[in-house]
Amino acid sequence: MSTQAIYSMTNRHDDTVMLRFREQERQEAKPTKPHARARSGITPTHLTWDEKTYPLDHDLIRIGRAPQNEIVVDVVGISRFHCQIKRLGGKLLLEDLGSTNGTHLNDDPIDAPCELSVGDKVTLCDVTLIFHNNDDIS
């Protein structure tokens, strides 16, 4: 009986070490593409998706499939809590919330909060959000 217990503990330990090693290899193998940085531009006041326009007038705007989000995008491939927009001073920062398919700003994947400007296109899976000013609404 004790031999079986020792074998089980050793096997689990080896499996855990192997899994940690694989995860470390994945992290090191990720491409180190630079994320979008703060840019000069006009801060957007609205975003448009699926022919609907949403005002960006809150300090925190969450986007995802869950009904608790301020902007609900109920599309396959979108995470329940995909990304969020935070107001910091007069700027809006876009942040991915660990989504499965990632968030792209103007075709570049983001891995850290980045500033939004008028004309930016944010892609969540196959969904595109377009950021603009109130003056640009037709």
Side-chain angles (χ1 to χ4, degrees), residues 21-32:
F21 181 72
R22 284 184 189 165
E23 182 61 27
Q24 185 179 9
E25 282 182 330
R26 277 191 214 120
Q27 292 297 326
E28 290 171 357
K30 279 186 177 178
T32 55

Side-chain angles (χ1 to χ4, degrees), residues 4-115:
Q4 183 181 8
I6 290 173
Y7 175 75
S8 294
M9 288 179 6
T10 304
N11 190 25
R12 286 186 191 153
H13 173 74
D14 292 343
D15 289 346
T16 303
V17 169
M18 183 177 60
L19 289 172
R20 287 184 182 158
F21 181 72
R22 284 184 189 165
E23 182 61 27
Q24 185 179 9
E25 282 182 330
R26 277 191 214 120
Q27 292 297 326
E28 290 171 357
K30 279 186 177 178
T32 55
K33 190 171 185 178
H35 59 80
R37 302 195 186 281
R39 307 169 318 207
S40 60
I42 301 169
T43 302
T45 59
H46 292 78
L47 76 81
T48 300
W49 167 69
D50 195 30
E51 298 182 12
K52 296 177 191 163
T53 299
Y54 301 89
L56 301 173
D57 53 1
H58 296 291
D59 290 335
L60 178 66
I61 301 167
R62 295 171 302 168
I63 303 170
R65 232 180 41 241
Q68 296 87 354
N69 290 298
E70 285 72 24
I71 299 175
V72 177
V73 181
D74 194 11
V75 174
V76 175
I78 304 293
S79 297
R80 286 177 292 145
F81 297 96
H82 199 98
C83 63
Q84 67 185 12
I85 300 169
K86 284 185 181 178
R87 185 173 303 282
L88 185 63
K91 303 290 182 185
L92 292 176
L93 299 177
L94 175 69
E95 179 179 13
D96 184 77
L97 297 175
S99 63
T100 303
N101 293 317
T103 302
H104 293 74
L105 175 63
N106 300 324
D107 297 326
D108 292 327
I110 63 169
D111 57 2
C114 55
E115 190 176 321

